[in-house]
Amino acid sequence: MSNNNNNRSRAAQGTASSTTPPTHIAKVRNGTGDRATYERIGVAWAKEDGSVYVRLYGTQIVASGFALYPAEDGGAQ
């Protein structure tokens, strides 16, 4: 019964299952023009209701936003 309660708790929080590969990769752009680089800051999952759940790595301070890119086939690499 506790396993069922854990599943409900996870669903209520909007988190993605650890067995489901991410559908998107979260990246932040550093720099401009041809010298711009993209730093991977987390992953995301598209949900059935049309929303997207984003899980950032560590503690992030994102001042100018971030972009979500579709994950490669087989999940985020």
Side-chain angles (χ1 to χ4, degrees):
M1 177 138 183
S2 64
N3 189 23
N4 194 21
N5 288 338
N6 288 340
N7 289 340
R8 282 189 207 146
S9 176
R10 180 179 293 145
Q13 294 172 0
T15 60
S17 170
S18 60
T19 59
T20 305
T23 58
H24 292 79
I25 300 171
K27 295 182 181 183
V28 65
R29 181 179 173 158
N30 296 315
T32 60
D34 292 339
R35 294 186 174 260
T37 60
Y38 293 85
E39 177 185 0
R40 183 174 170 166
I41 60 171
V43 293
W45 290 263
K47 296 175 58 178
E48 291 179 4
D49 65 359
S51 65
V52 177
Y53 172 76
V54 179
R55 183 179 296 162
L56 299 177
Y57 302 139
T59 302
Q60 298 288 336
I61 298 175
V62 181
S64 60
F66 59 88
L68 295 176
Y69 295 90
E72 302 297 325
D73 289 338
Q77 298 298 322

